[in-house]
Amino acid sequence: LLHAYFRIQIEFRFFRGSRMALWSSPEEAWRGALDSYPSIIDRLSATKAAKATRKPSPTHTLTALDAFYTSDLPPLATNQGHLTSDQLSRLTTWKLVRGKFRPRLQALADSNTDAAVRASTARAANAKPAALMGSAMDALEELKGVGPATASAILALWHPRAVAFLSDEAMVQVPALGGKREYTRKAVRVFCGELVEKSAALNRGAGEVEWTPVLCE
């Protein structure tokens, strides 16, 4: 939500240049943002497609990729206990289409063998909570093209109540990070800790949504 809410304001210059701070808003504002999320993603998807030099395939639009990451992949990953090389490739594409596209990063991620992806992600899937920012991240960062940010997106598949994807747009809205973008393991740790606290605070409200760090991001 932090990502989409921030991006829609930047893309369409909402609020006459002033960014509404969802972070400090009450729970009902977060629920309103959640209700708007599908239409926001569709609108951003259409904007990205219009700006692209080559029309994306239906499976590579932001709408399709976001549905893959948020709805399709989590139950698949849970049932498998690991990711496949194809799933890592699509997750990387989602990350790059969602943010700034870096062809070199996609090529690196795609160069991993299926055996390597399965082995490293299985270790992350089975990690205990205390090991998520340690040995679990170590295992994922053994894969080519996977740094702390991509590793956080992978870990969030199995540990949504402890980890969320370290996206640019959400990162700059977390007060503890001072509005800075920092792609380090320390930043992931601080970011996730803040979202754990924020989701707990939102859950103390009277709303019907079960908030998690993943949902907040």
Side-chain angles (χ1 to χ4, degrees):
L1 288 184
L2 289 169
H3 160 268
Y5 204 74
F6 183 90
R7 177 56 66 186
I8 199 72
Q9 293 177 68
I10 297 300
E11 291 287 347
F12 302 107
R13 306 181 189 280
F14 283 7
F15 311 116
R16 301 185 182 277
S18 64
R19 299 172 191 167
M20 183 177 289
L22 182 60
W23 183 268
S24 58
S25 299
E27 197 266 349
E28 55 264 31
W30 286 76
R31 274 186 280 128
L34 182 62
D35 291 340
S36 301
Y37 182 80
S39 61
I40 290 175
I41 291 297
D42 286 346
R43 193 169 181 182
L44 291 174
S45 183
T47 301
K48 284 179 175 287
K51 291 180 179 179
T53 55
R54 179 183 297 178
K55 186 177 180 180
S57 70
T59 59
H60 282 68
T61 63
L62 177 58
T63 296
L65 289 165
D66 200 67
F68 167 73
Y69 178 77
T70 60
S71 300
D72 301 338
L73 190 55
L76 284 173
T78 298
N79 291 335
Q80 294 168 177
H82 60 77
L83 294 185
T84 65
S85 56
D86 178 66
Q87 290 165 346
L88 175 61
S89 176
R90 290 191 67 187
L91 182 150
T92 303
T93 304
W94 163 79
K95 176 194 170 192
L96 296 176
V97 170
R98 200 175 188 247
K100 183 177 181 180
F101 193 76
R102 299 177 177 88
R104 176 62 177 161
L105 188 61
Q106 184 72 60
L108 284 171
D110 291 349
S111 70
N112 291 293
T113 66
D114 192 59
V117 173
R118 288 170 182 259
S120 290
T121 57
R123 288 161 58 193
N126 294 319
K128 296 184 182 302
L132 293 178
M133 296 298 129
S135 60
M137 294 283 278
D138 291 339
L140 294 173
E141 290 180 26
E142 290 174 2
L143 297 169
K144 294 186 284 289
V146 176
T150 303
S152 69
I154 297 171
L155 281 172
L157 295 169
W158 295 288
H159 310 282
R161 289 176 174 77
V163 184
F165 171 46
L166 183 73
S167 64
D168 290 348
E169 294 81 4
M171 193 189 323
V172 298
Q173 296 180 78
V174 172
L177 291 174
K180 299 177 182 178
R181 297 179 180 180
E182 184 180 341
Y183 309 99
T184 64
R185 198 175 296 190
K186 178 183 177 181
V188 174
R189 185 181 299 109
V190 172
F191 176 78
C192 293
E194 289 288 296
L195 288 187
V196 167
E197 292 186 10
K198 174 57 68 175
S199 59
L202 292 172
N203 283 327
R204 288 194 289 271
E208 299 175 355
V209 177
E210 182 182 355
W211 294 99
T212 64
V214 166
L215 200 55
C216 290
E217 188 277 327

